[in-house]
Amino acid sequence: MRHIISILMENESGALSRVAGLFSARGYNIESLTVAPTEDPTLSRMTLVTRGDEAIIEQITKQLNKLVEVVKLLDLSDGPHIEREIMMIKLKADNGRREEVFRLVDIFRGKVVDVTESTFVVELTGKSAKLDAFIKAANEDSIVEVVRSGPLGIARGSKGLKL
């Protein structure tokens, strides 16, 4: 099962390396990883997506909690949460495809963020399934490049990582 783990950690050099090292040393895979500072400049929030059964996820969370830099950890998959992913996709924009691209972007509530003579760059935000559906709907021959953030998540309601 896929798990989104949100980690509040000290914003210091080497912290990310220690988390990644923990995963590689145990043979666990990180599907996506996003790190950014929080409203407190001494703390960063790491959003990590991994897969595993309950025993593996429990082991991962226990090991992460042992790291000195980890202040608080929450497996968002354990409760109601909101998740979003951002994607930028570069599409060929030949004369015959321009209108098709605009229609597709409109249907998926995307945004064209760059236009050249030969390409469009489209920005889409939503659940991973929505982004997958856009890629599937786009003509495979028209896709030049795809860049995705991986899911970000936040717990619904009063549950959260704020200290």
Side-chain angles (χ1 to χ4, degrees):
M1 182 174 159
R2 185 183 85 151
H3 287 262
I4 300 174
I5 300 172
S6 187
I7 306 166
L8 195 60
M9 60 192 310
E10 293 175 10
N11 188 8
E12 61 182 46
S13 63
L16 171 61
S17 172
R18 283 186 277 288
V19 170
L22 183 148
F23 273 75
S24 65
R26 287 158 184 80
Y28 302 140
N29 187 40
I30 297 173
E31 285 188 9
S32 74
L33 179 67
T34 306
V35 184
T38 65
E39 66 282 356
D40 178 348
T42 66
L43 298 174
S44 289
R45 180 177 309 271
M46 176 183 290
T47 304
L48 188 145
V49 179
T50 190
R51 290 188 185 272
D53 60 27
E54 293 307 314
I56 289 173
I57 299 303
E58 183 179 345
Q59 183 67 25
I60 288 171
T61 56
K62 283 180 181 177
Q63 294 296 319
L64 285 169
N65 275 316
K66 287 181 183 178
L67 295 176
V68 174
E69 299 83 7
V70 172
V71 176
K72 200 169 179 184
L73 180 144
L74 179 63
D75 183 352
L76 295 174
S77 307
D78 286 344
H81 66 281
I82 301 163
E83 68 180 77
R84 294 290 182 266
E85 182 175 355
I86 187 168
M87 173 176 74
M88 288 188 292
I89 183 168
K90 188 184 298 182
L91 301 168
K92 291 179 190 171
D94 316 86
N95 289 336
R97 294 186 183 171
R98 290 174 105 61
E99 286 304 315
E100 177 186 340
V101 169
F102 279 120
R103 277 194 303 275
L104 193 59
V105 169
D106 189 46
I107 290 168
F108 281 86
R109 295 188 183 116
K111 181 178 175 184
V112 175
V113 293
D114 186 57
V115 178
T116 67
E117 289 180 20
S118 59
T119 64
F120 285 118
V121 174
V122 176
E123 175 187 293
L124 286 162
T125 304
K127 288 191 174 186
S128 299
K130 174 186 174 181
L131 306 186
D132 293 340
F134 183 89
I135 291 171
K136 189 174 179 181
N139 184 338
E140 189 176 319
D141 296 336
S142 68
I143 298 174
V144 176
E145 186 176 11
V146 177
V147 180
R148 294 175 74 158
S149 67
L152 294 174
I154 191 165
R156 293 194 69 207
S158 60
K159 191 175 184 182
L161 287 181
K162 188 145 176 141
L163 293 177

